[in-house]
Amino acid sequence: MLVTACAGSGGAGAPSTASPSATPPEVLCARIVAHWSREVLDEGTYGDYQSMGLSNGQYDILRSVVDDARAAKKREGAGAAYELIDRQSREGCAARYRSGGPDKGPWR
């Protein structure tokens, strides 16, 4: 006979009852835009926004960020370009989701 037991509430091995909090959409946006911006900057070519997992609006942010990052890379080097990518991705995505999220169509 197989007997199993569960830890009682509050026991040393009891699992946490707190659920993980969801990552805000502006944070997810900034992460993915920054990731793909670095890829585009390093490889020199753009991919399809859908294959990157971006919406059309996020892709617009990426293109603007990459344009500025390319100029920064020429002037100040890759490190400055990566810092710019992080900053502008956060700012662009924060502005995009400031009012609770895009709602002007399925790809915005």
Side-chain angles (χ1 to χ4, degrees), residues 33-100:
V33 168
H35 167 79
W36 285 111
S37 293
R38 284 187 183 85
E39 292 286 323
V40 171
L41 182 67
D42 291 342
E43 295 177 16
T45 60
Y46 286 91
D48 174 66
Y49 73 95
Q50 291 173 326
S51 69
M52 295 176 176
L54 300 172
S55 69
N56 186 44
Q58 291 167 335
Y59 194 66
D60 289 342
I61 296 168
L62 175 135
R63 289 189 321 211
S64 175
V65 168
V66 171
D67 287 346
D68 291 347
R70 284 181 174 153
K73 186 176 180 180
K74 286 181 184 179
R75 284 189 321 267
E76 305 169 52
Y82 291 155
E83 288 177 22
L84 181 142
I85 286 171
D86 289 338
R87 183 179 68 254
Q88 287 191 357
S89 295
R90 282 191 311 270
E91 291 170 357
C93 290
R96 178 167 175 70
Y97 289 93
R98 184 167 289 128
S99 63

